Amino acid sequence: MPLREAGAVTGVGETKYLRGTDRTALSFQLEASLNAIRDAGLKPSDIDGLIPYGHGAVAEDFITNFGIKDLRFSATTPMGGASAVASIQCALAVIDAGICNHVLLSLGRTGYSGGRIGARVQQMPQFKLIGEFEMPSGAIAPAQLYAPMARRHMELYGTKSTQLAEIAVTTRQHAMLQSNATMQRPMTIEDHQASRMISDPLRLLDCSLESDGGAAVVISAVDRCRDLRKPPVMVMGVAEGHPDSPSAITQRPDLTTLGLAKAAPKAFAMAGVTHDDIDVAEIYDCFTYIVMCQLEDLGFCKKGEGGAFVENGALGLNGRLPVNTHGGLLSQAHMAGMNHIVELTRQLRGEAEAQVPDAEIGLVTGYGDMGDGSIAIMRRD
Amino acid sequence: MDTTYDKLVPAPTPDTQPYWDGLKEHRLRLQRCADCGKVRHYPRPMCDACWSMNTDWVDAAGTGTVHSWTITHYAFHPGWKGDLPYILLTVDLPEGVRLNAQARGISESALRVGLPVKVGFEPVTEELTLPVFEAV
Ligand SMILES: [Zn+2]
């Protein structure tokens, strides 16, 4: 397992998260990147590898703005919301190959003020099958395309909307402990149940936010990570997984299994840890149901038991598995999961605003593009 | 038929045109591997079982059973505003593939996994006929 602890997260950065701005996505992406680089105690010109989130800034933007003289690697990992965590694997691979020392992962977006996230799917090339065969019938947005997965889960396993509500409510409680979370009003299960139906069974409060801002992460080689400004957070295991019928959920043999189910066993094996070792989990939460399904695909419970698993505040700071301690995409901001890597790093450094006591090992997942999955397991050094 | 059709329309390719031509004739045609016989949907250039690029087309039975569904209450595109709420069914066809289409004449309370349905055809423009599912 050559990538095991080949590198560490050494810097994390965010902008203020907003719902309304006249700034550009590029300016958010550069600001967040600079914050991450400074957090690591590096200079922008120290960055020798770039994996920007797709559909945003490109390598040329960073070379130009940062004055990087010798960029040695750039790539994107086109997996939608699974991209940020999948790019950790890509970063470790180029670090292990000796190509790079410090790789910057970054994202900036004007998801609220610019192109709305819900409308983007129509323009994305990996969705041309859906564009031709499902959108003309009115199945257009992710909420509509994912809802049949949740409905199938409900019909097969008796999963209830109030169980999805548990996820939304707990995530909101965590957001209210954050200085940089956009949703600060308390939410109850009754509030969730009273929120308007978007595409049954998904209600408004099952859906993530549309946000403006940026987030970034620096991954450094293991032999460069221990003399920087902050303690390194070691990457123990990492993997990506692609589901069957990756672009068309309709044709997927099992609607209730995501690409993460293929990635998770690889990452746990690489890390050499068990589920009991995980102190905190930042789980991609574009919709509440996607969190529940991933808990199953990660192996924290059996398929079909996710509804019972999340009940009674199990995902809270004092629950059996604290999840999305920053408020996630549901209540902090939709930063496509880059904010989940930022939060896991802070938890394992012991500097989170809603700190899980003595968090030593944690995991972060990504989910996107109709079912792609990614996972990284990390530890305090 | 609406002459000012304001919904999203497909952009067929040579790989997919026979499917849309079939719908215009009120036939649900599915692509089949001409070598190993595996039926696939949505239409595409290659068979994932034997990697043959030889294809032919078969007429589906036009029956199926509900695999899952969603009821949409929000218009993600202005063209569908007047249709809310509408039911989108994911249906298992006996040919071994699924079809996603709107329900017609099926009440929300009747929806269940395994509900038998049959394919119907709705011409929406001169060029485009869409499949729908009707109660059996
Ligand atoms: Zn074949």
Side-chain angles (χ1 to χ4, degrees):
Chain A
M1 304 258 185
L3 295 190
R4 184 177 195 276
E5 306 207 353
V9 179
T10 53
V12 295
E14 298 170 292
T15 67
K16 182 74 186 161
Y17 295 139
L18 303 165
R19 283 160 44 94
T21 186
D22 50 16
R23 289 179 56 184
T24 63
L26 175 61
S27 81
F28 285 123
Q29 192 156 353
L30 291 170
E31 179 190 335
S33 297
L34 192 58
N35 290 342
I37 291 164
R38 286 178 169 158
D39 185 56
L42 294 167
K43 299 188 302 293
S45 52
D46 293 327
I47 297 297
D48 54 12
L50 292 170
I51 311 178
Y53 188 85
H55 311 288
V58 293
E60 287 83 344
D61 291 316
F62 290 92
I63 294 170
T64 307
N65 285 281
F66 283 173
I68 300 172
K69 295 285 184 245
D70 187 18
L71 186 74
R72 302 186 64 192
F73 178 82
S74 77
T76 56
T77 50
M79 295 170 66
S83 299
V85 174
S87 60
I88 297 174
Q89 175 176 258
C90 184
L92 291 182
V94 296
I95 284 170
D96 190 59
I99 298 169
C100 296
N101 288 315
H102 302 291
V103 180
L104 174 70
L105 323 180
S106 66
L107 165 125
R109 53 173 32 180
T110 51
Y112 185 89
S113 301
R116 305 297 290 266
I117 291 168
R120 278 185 309 120
V121 74
Q122 284 164 248
Q123 282 92 48
M124 298 164 85
Q126 63 271 47
F127 301 131
K128 65 185 194 312
L129 283 179
I130 294 173
E132 180 169 358
F133 294 99
E134 300 191 5
M135 291 186 190
S137 288
I140 298 159
Q144 296 174 286
L145 299 165
Y146 298 170
M149 303 195 290
R151 172 51 63 192
R152 177 86 180 164
H153 200 282
M154 289 174 160
E155 297 299 311
L156 290 185
Y157 303 116
T159 309
K160 297 194 280 285
S161 175
T162 50
Q163 293 170 327
L164 301 183
E166 290 261 3
I167 296 169
V169 167
T170 302
T171 309
R172 178 62 58 88
Q173 287 165 353
H174 295 165
M176 291 171 63
L177 300 170
Q178 294 290 328
S179 56
N180 194 17
T182 52
M183 304 306 280
Q184 294 289 343
R185 252 184 326 172
M187 184 201 301
T188 64
I189 288 181
E190 292 71 33
D191 293 333
H192 172 279
Q193 294 293 293
S195 69
R196 67 194 163 95
M197 196 64 85
I198 300 297
S199 201
D200 182 280
L202 300 177
R203 298 178 175 278
L204 180 67
L205 293 181
D206 289 307
C207 304
S208 51
L209 303 167
E210 294 179 313
S211 309
D212 304 321
V217 172
V218 178
I219 311 276
S220 300
V222 66
D223 59 351
R224 301 295 185 103
C225 74
R226 289 199 171 90
D227 52 357
L228 297 180
R229 185 165 157 262
K230 294 277 182 76
V233 171
M234 307 303 297
V235 184
M236 305 174 75
V238 64
E240 69 181 56
H242 299 259
D244 300 332
S245 188
S247 297
I249 292 166
T250 297
Q251 307 298 338
R252 188 167 300 157
D254 179 0
L255 253 52
T256 66
T257 297
L258 307 171
L260 181 63
K262 301 182 186 184
K266 297 186 184 87
F268 273 97
M270 186 188 295
V273 302
T274 69
H275 294 79
D276 287 340
D277 296 321
I278 303 297
D279 299 315
V280 55
E282 314 300 350
I283 297 183
Y284 198 87
D285 57 334
C286 50
F287 295 92
T288 53
Y289 167 75
I290 297 298
V291 175
M292 200 194 71
C293 189
Q294 287 178 94
L295 288 167
E296 297 171 346
D297 288 346
L298 284 163
F300 284 103
C301 58
K302 291 204 186 82
K303 184 54 65 183
E305 295 178 355
F309 184 89
V310 304
E311 283 184 329
N312 302 315
L315 308 186
L317 286 178
N318 302 308
R320 78 167 103 167
L321 180 67
V323 165
N324 293 347
T325 44
H326 54 329
L329 310 182
L330 289 167
S331 282
Q332 186 192 38
H334 197 318
M335 289 296 127
M338 197 68 80
N339 49 333
H340 291 51
I341 306 173
V342 170
E343 174 67 7
L344 180 62
T345 302
R346 289 178 176 157
Q347 286 286 343
L348 297 177
R349 286 174 174 175
E351 63 179 28
E353 291 189 23
Q355 181 66 44
V356 174
D358 303 317
E360 292 183 2
I361 298 177
L363 68 77
V364 57
T365 73
Y367 163 90
D369 277 10
M370 306 295 140
D372 292 349
S374 51
I375 172 175
I377 298 172
M378 305 195 205
R379 70 168 174 86
R380 193 162 76 185
D381 192 38
Chain B
M1 214 174 287
D2 192 345
T3 51
T4 56
Y5 192 70
D6 60 353
K7 294 172 176 159
L8 298 172
V9 297
T13 69
D15 293 324
T16 66
Q17 189 67 50
Y19 171 78
W20 297 107
D21 291 345
L23 291 176
K24 270 173 76 175
E25 299 166 13
H26 291 205
R27 297 160 68 192
L28 177 62
R29 303 176 79 199
L30 298 173
Q31 201 182 32
R32 184 175 66 179
C33 174
D35 285 307
C36 79
K38 184 177 178 182
V39 173
R40 61 183 188 259
H41 198 51
Y42 305 122
R44 52 186 178 265
M46 187 174 287
C47 172
D48 71 336
C50 75
W51 308 298
S52 167
M53 296 179 79
N54 300 318
T55 58
D56 57 21
W57 293 82
V58 292
D59 282 312
T63 58
T65 55
V66 170
H67 189 85
S68 194
W69 67 88
T70 184
I71 307 162
T72 293
H73 294 260
Y74 177 83
F76 289 94
H77 182 285
W80 277 270
K81 217 166 221 167
D83 297 359
L84 299 175
Y86 57 91
I87 301 172
L88 284 160
L89 296 180
T90 303
V91 169
D92 288 307
L93 305 183
E95 289 78 13
V97 298
R98 297 199 195 108
L99 189 64
N100 185 300
Q102 284 195 30
R104 291 287 179 268
I106 299 172
S107 72
E108 293 182 13
S109 60
L111 291 170
R112 62 178 172 84
V113 170
L115 179 75
V117 292
K118 64 176 196 248
V119 177
F121 302 91
E122 277 190 3
V124 296
T125 70
E126 288 291 337
E127 291 303 312
L128 178 62
T129 295
L130 291 173
V132 293
F133 286 110
E134 301 164 348
V136 172

